[in-house]
Amino acid sequence: MKPIQTLHNLILKSAFPEIRSVEYEQRKQSIIRWILGFFVMLRFSEIVYAAQYLPVYEDLNLIGFGTIAIIFLFTIGLFLPVTTVLLMFAVTIFEQHYRCFTLGTNILSTYLFVSVLSGSGRYYSADALMLRSSFKLFNPVKALYRIAGNPDKNQLRIMYFLGFVSYGVVSLCALSYHLFDENWMNGLTPYLFFPAAYLSTYFQFFRDLQEAVPGLFHVMSVVAILGQSLFQFFMIPLMWTKYGKVFVIFWGFSFFTASLFLINLSYLPHVEVLSWLVYFTRVRKYEPYVLLYDDRCNFCKRSVSVLRFLNFNGLLEFVPISLSAELLKKHNLDETEVKVWMYGIRGNEILKGYDLYYKVVFRNPLLWLLVPFFIIGKYTGLGYRIYAAIARNRYKIFGTCELTYPKQKESNYEPVMAAAWLKGTTAILLCLYVTYLSFQLPIVGRQVRYYVGRVHLGFLLPPADFALVWGGFVTPIVFNAADIKLNERYFNLYRITDKGKELVPLIDEAGGRLDYFRDADYFYFCNHGSGLLYFSLILQYERGMIDQPVEEYHDPDNVGGGTIKNLIVFDKRYLSENEPDKLDSIEGYELIVYENECASSLDEDRFENQVVYRQTFEK
């Protein structure tokens, strides 16, 4: 294991952000786990919900609901070290059966891999409640965390770095495919990509911008490709330089944010942003405020309990007045005054009462929803008056209590993580890196697979491929010529009713994506309302239609004809359960396929659509 230890030492010498506090990093991870769990739950629930309207998926309920159950356990943090590993298996098996593969799940798996031993289940989780309970039934949970251990600052930093490297290796392999793409090498990919209706939410804005300043738009396209190429190729080595680290972090978050709002990538940017918040943001950036509180006051102690629970970023340290004589003397503070107003001290800065709470609310993201109310309270003076009224009458309203002191942490449940765990994780990841690059790099991958078969080791390929997918190592072959051509041919599906034609809300007349189940895509998934509709049906249909004879493609026995048939079955079954009156008015369906030259031409009329195929279907 000496080479691995050498690698760990090299990582610790990098410019990768250092860990200031393991506890507050784990609190941050736990909060992000809840947010991540919400998006993962939403994405997979949408797929299971849509699957009930397609007969081909009716036998997958066990896999579907089983995966959702594991996502739920992961989100609430129940048996988290085990649940995290199970989730990696569950999402891999789920996507194989539902045929809805997406890079978002791959990036999720790379993050989950390194988070297993992070110890984040110690806070804001079901596990945390059991770890702090004396009930003997919870002893297995305590044993689980004793076995897993608790990482120190260096171990957690190495784990974060390994998660980042996993992302970097996948990005490097993706870039290797870009280099074979003519549009990418000519600086045209964003120029052609963003005005495409199926690929970009705000395509019309980019079309107008391109028409107004085509030269500037082309320059922006070239700069974007150059920056992205540098980011993907040098991402890992740049972590050993100060300014390189700044570039990687800045470009990464900028790209993910732009992807979230401008590019239709399902829940990939959500997972990327949240995982990078774990890797690169650090809590407790500032020296904490020492909060002095009246430990005989019930109201003060309850307020401190809430603040202590929400204090995930270490902004506050809590000191009862009964133990703060030296601090009061040092800052010439009157004990009676401090008891009334609650003071916060940081260096030479002293805040009291409403001003202290105002500062806390602004610096704790968990309290940002309260910011507008605190601003109103500050500038109208109402906040000060309310606080003063409560402070002066707190004993009358809430009463007093006996002195009590915060309980010390039980060291039995805070063991140091064994170095072998981290070395083992590193060894597994190194094996996956080598296998992945050997199998996935252009040209090299085919040769490696060929020679593995030649030496009679072909039986190793399927388990190796599953291990790569399980670990999240799948090459994102995106933003290429095939992607851009997705908008050169697209379809509209209409319901023919007794009142005329009605568009099935999948693709609009311009080729943009619609949400089948609701009017607004609140979280920018851009997946027609379900990953099942997007990845399993429509995306495959659109890709298959590229450069295919349209009539032949829509033969009932071909992929295109079969997909349209499934979409009609889906629509009928959905309406029969949710809008039976509308279903009764349908007399049939009509398919219209449009064609343009948005990806193969730079002429002004390249976005003009022509009908190249029509077909009607009886009810």
Side-chain angles (χ1 to χ4, degrees):
M1 289 289 186
K2 189 174 181 180
I4 292 180
Q5 185 59 54
T6 302
L7 176 61
H8 288 172
N9 293 336
L10 183 63
I11 291 172
L12 295 176
K13 292 179 181 179
S14 71
F16 196 76
E18 296 184 359
I19 304 295
R20 296 183 176 86
S21 167
V22 172
E23 175 185 340
Y24 292 113
E25 283 296 319
Q26 290 171 337
R27 289 176 180 268
K28 177 193 74 176
Q29 273 198 62
S30 294
I31 292 170
I32 290 176
R33 186 192 70 247
W34 282 93
I35 302 171
L36 180 64
F38 168 78
F39 286 120
V40 176
M41 177 71 76
L42 179 61
R43 191 257 175 177
F44 283 83
S45 296
E46 285 180 345
I47 293 173
V48 174
Y49 175 74
Q52 66 180 309
Y53 302 113
L54 281 173
V56 70
Y57 295 107
E58 288 179 344
D59 296 331
L60 297 179
N61 287 336
L62 181 60
I63 293 174
F65 288 107
T67 300
I68 290 175
I70 293 173
I71 296 171
F72 176 75
L73 296 179
F74 166 79
T75 304
I76 67 172
L78 183 62
F79 311 124
L80 192 59
V82 174
T83 305
T84 303
V85 176
L86 289 177
L87 181 58
M88 293 175 67
F89 281 104
V91 295
T92 302
I93 295 170
F94 182 101
E95 295 202 339
Q96 287 179 341
H97 283 82
Y98 281 89
R99 295 177 295 174
C100 53
F101 300 100
T102 170
L103 181 59
T105 302
N106 302 134
I107 300 303
L108 170 67
S109 294
T110 61
Y111 168 70
L112 294 177
F113 196 107
V114 300
S115 69
V116 172
L117 298 174
S118 68
S120 63
R122 298 170 185 275
Y123 302 96
Y124 307 135
S125 68
D127 286 352
L129 297 176
M130 291 187 283
L131 288 173
R132 288 160 177 75
S133 172
S134 59
F135 192 33
K136 291 184 178 181
L137 187 62
F138 298 149
N139 286 343
V141 178
K142 298 176 182 179
L144 174 63
Y145 278 81
R146 286 196 196 99
I147 294 171
N150 203 25
D152 60 25
K153 293 180 181 180
N154 286 340
Q155 289 174 325
L156 190 57
R157 185 183 178 204
I158 291 170
M159 290 165 62
Y160 283 177
F161 191 89
L162 291 174
F164 162 72
V165 169
S166 296
Y167 183 89
V169 169
V170 172
S171 295
L172 177 63
C173 203
L175 178 63
S176 67
Y177 282 89
H178 290 322
L179 299 180
F180 288 91
D181 186 86
E182 184 179 354
N183 290 325
W184 186 273
M185 298 305 294
N186 290 330
L188 289 173
T189 298
Y191 190 88
L192 298 172
F193 189 97
F194 283 103
Y198 190 71
L199 304 172
S200 177
T201 305
Y202 300 104
F203 66 92
Q204 192 58 56
F205 166 78
F206 289 109
R207 289 182 184 181
D208 294 340
L209 181 64
Q210 194 176 89
E211 182 179 355
V213 284
L216 177 61
F217 198 94
H218 190 200
V219 171
M220 293 169 60
S221 177
V222 173
V223 171
I225 286 179
L226 179 61
Q228 185 66 13
S229 298
L230 292 173
F231 170 73
Q232 291 183 270
F233 189 79
F234 294 107
M235 184 186 308
I236 298 173
L238 282 175
M239 277 298 114
W240 275 269
T241 66
K242 178 181 177 181
Y243 295 108
K245 177 193 70 174
V246 173
F247 167 74
V248 170
I249 295 174
F250 169 77
W251 191 273
F253 276 115
S254 300
F255 175 69
F256 303 153
T257 304
S259 298
L260 175 61
F261 296 107
L262 302 179
I263 306 175
N264 301 338
L265 294 173
S266 187
Y267 80 139
L268 168 61
H270 306 74
V271 177
E272 289 177 324
V273 168
L274 292 171
S275 62
W276 274 49
L277 284 174
V278 172
Y279 298 152
F280 289 110
T281 62
R282 295 293 177 262
V283 293
R284 210 166 195 179
K285 293 182 180 179
Y286 313 101
E287 180 184 350
Y289 285 96
V290 177
L291 189 148
L292 304 176
Y293 67 95
D294 184 357
D295 45 342
R296 287 188 180 276
C297 167
N298 283 329
F299 177 70
C300 297
K301 294 177 76 172
R302 291 171 187 169
S303 300
V304 166
S305 295
V306 174
L307 290 174
R308 194 189 301 275
F309 178 77
L310 297 175
N311 187 40
F312 84 98
N313 57 356
L315 178 63
L316 299 171
E317 285 186 359
F318 304 92
V319 178
I321 290 178
S322 60
L323 300 178
S324 62
E326 293 185 8
L327 198 59
L328 293 174
K329 182 178 180 181
K330 177 182 177 180
H331 293 278
N332 297 317
L333 296 176
D334 179 70
E335 182 175 330
T336 303
E337 184 79 0
V338 173
K339 284 182 177 180
V340 173
W341 296 105
M342 193 178 289
Y343 274 63
I345 303 171
R346 188 180 71 171
N348 295 322
E349 181 184 10
I350 299 177
L351 297 173
K352 73 173 186 177
Y354 190 81
D355 287 326
L356 173 63
Y357 276 90
Y358 185 82
K359 182 80 72 171
V360 169
V361 165
F362 268 87
R363 290 194 173 179
N364 188 329
L366 297 182
L367 299 172
W368 283 351
L369 288 175
L370 301 177
V371 165
F373 303 102
F374 271 80
I375 292 176
I376 294 172
K378 181 178 179 64
Y379 291 101
T380 62
L382 185 62
Y384 292 97
R385 290 194 290 271
I386 293 175
Y387 184 91
I390 294 175
R392 293 193 177 101
N393 297 283
R394 67 194 189 284
Y395 287 160
K396 294 179 182 178
I397 300 173
F398 302 99
T400 60
C401 62
E402 296 296 325
L403 287 177
T404 56
Y405 303 104
K407 294 182 179 180
Q408 298 297 318
K409 292 181 180 179
E410 299 182 62
S411 58
N412 290 338
Y413 307 132
E414 299 293 336
V416 176
M417 187 180 77
W421 281 118
L422 183 57
K423 289 182 178 179
T425 301
T426 305
I428 294 172
L429 283 172
L430 289 176
C431 290
L432 289 173
Y433 297 156
V434 173
T435 304
Y436 170 67
L437 292 175
S438 300
F439 283 12
Q440 294 289 325
L441 282 174
I443 303 176
V444 175
R446 293 181 180 179
Q447 296 298 322
V448 170
R449 288 178 177 272
Y450 171 76
Y451 284 112
V452 168
R454 282 287 301 272
V455 296
H456 307 293
L457 294 176
F459 65 92
L460 294 176
L461 293 178
D465 287 335
F466 181 86
L468 291 176
V469 176
W470 170 75
F473 296 95
V474 176
T475 304
I477 307 176
V478 293
F479 304 128
N480 51 31
D483 279 344
I484 295 172
K485 283 188 175 182
L486 284 173
N487 217 71
E488 284 202 326
R489 281 183 179 172
Y490 65 91
F491 76 100
N492 283 157
L493 185 63
Y494 292 91
R495 302 169 184 138
I496 302 173
T497 71
D498 51 9
K499 296 181 180 179
K501 292 199 304 186
E502 176 184 288
L503 182 67
V504 178
L506 295 170
I507 304 289
D508 64 24
E509 282 85 352
R513 301 179 199 176
L514 297 175
D515 194 305
Y516 182 87
F517 299 103
R518 49 187 177 271
D519 295 330
D521 183 12
Y522 301 108
F523 300 106
Y524 288 89
F525 278 10
C526 303
N527 60 359
H528 308 295
S530 172
L532 189 78
L533 290 173
Y534 177 42
F535 292 104
S536 296
L537 297 174
I538 296 176
L539 182 60
Q540 300 304 318
Y541 168 85
E542 295 275 356
R543 284 190 184 279
M545 192 162 48
I546 297 173
D547 299 327
Q548 290 281 337
V550 182
E551 291 192 15
E552 180 181 330
Y553 185 67
H554 288 90
D555 186 276
D557 296 325
N558 209 334
V559 175
T563 301
I564 297 300
K565 178 182 177 181
N566 280 331
L567 288 175
I568 292 174
V569 169
F570 177 89
D571 188 58
K572 287 180 178 179
R573 294 187 66 168
Y574 177 80
L575 294 177
S576 68
E577 184 172 320
N578 298 278
E579 300 179 63
D581 292 339
K582 180 176 288 188
L583 179 63
D584 293 339
S585 68
I586 294 176
E587 299 174 354
Y589 287 82
E590 181 182 21
L591 171 70
I592 301 178
V593 177
Y594 297 93
E595 186 176 73
N596 57 52
E597 296 182 330
C598 66
S600 55
S601 171
L602 296 179
D603 295 338
E604 293 182 1
D605 61 350
R606 65 185 181 278
F607 297 114
E608 292 184 7
N609 298 311
Q610 294 182 346
V611 177
V612 294
Y613 183 75
R614 286 180 182 269
Q615 185 178 0
T616 57
F617 304 85
E618 296 181 359
K619 182 175 178 180

